[in-house]
Amino acid sequence: MKAALIDPRDQTAQVDDPTYRVYFWAGDGAAKEEWELVETDLREVLAWIPTRSDGRPHSLWAVTSIGADVTLIRLEGMDLDAGVRAWPAWAQEVRR
């Protein structure tokens, strides 16, 4: 991890009611169950994941939208659809 002090004046927007997506994969990485969570905060999402995972690996994403364009920001886990070479070096498979 790298950490640096920042100047918060570069911020141009803020989202106070984030949307999250959680993807659960079968053990072979093939089957996927996809959820979108709203009206919640990160603490509650992290507590919810083990209640639905059944030990399956998952990834957690924040959702940001500009018009019709949806962008996902990885918060935890990996995109098993992408393949190992696309993952950041520090990304890990997560099971809860």
Side-chain angles (χ1 to χ4, degrees), residues 21-41:
R21 288 191 182 176
V22 180
Y23 300 132
F24 297 105
W25 281 273
D28 61 3
K32 182 169 48 174
E33 184 179 302
E34 305 170 4
W35 290 84
E36 186 163 280
L37 293 83
V38 297
E39 298 180 9
T40 187
D41 64 15

Side-chain angles (χ1 to χ4, degrees), residues 64-71:
T64 183
S65 300
I66 299 175
D69 295 331
V70 175
T71 300

Side-chain angles (χ1 to χ4, degrees), residues 27-96:
D28 61 3
K32 182 169 48 174
E33 184 179 302
E34 305 170 4
W35 290 84
E36 186 163 280
L37 293 83
V38 297
E39 298 180 9
T40 187
D41 64 15
L42 182 58
R43 181 179 38 95
E44 189 174 18
V45 171
L46 291 172
W48 176 86
I49 289 171
T51 70
R52 296 301 247 165
S53 72
D54 294 324
R56 296 173 291 172
H58 71 274
S59 59
L60 170 60
W61 306 80
V63 180
T64 183
S65 300
I66 299 175
D69 295 331
V70 175
T71 300
L72 301 181
I73 301 168
R74 187 181 64 83
L75 301 176
E76 180 177 62
M78 299 179 291
D79 180 359
L80 295 181
D81 286 334
V84 178
R85 293 174 196 220
W87 303 336
W90 57 87
Q92 300 176 33
E93 184 175 296
V94 180
R95 297 173 190 256
R96 289 192 200 271

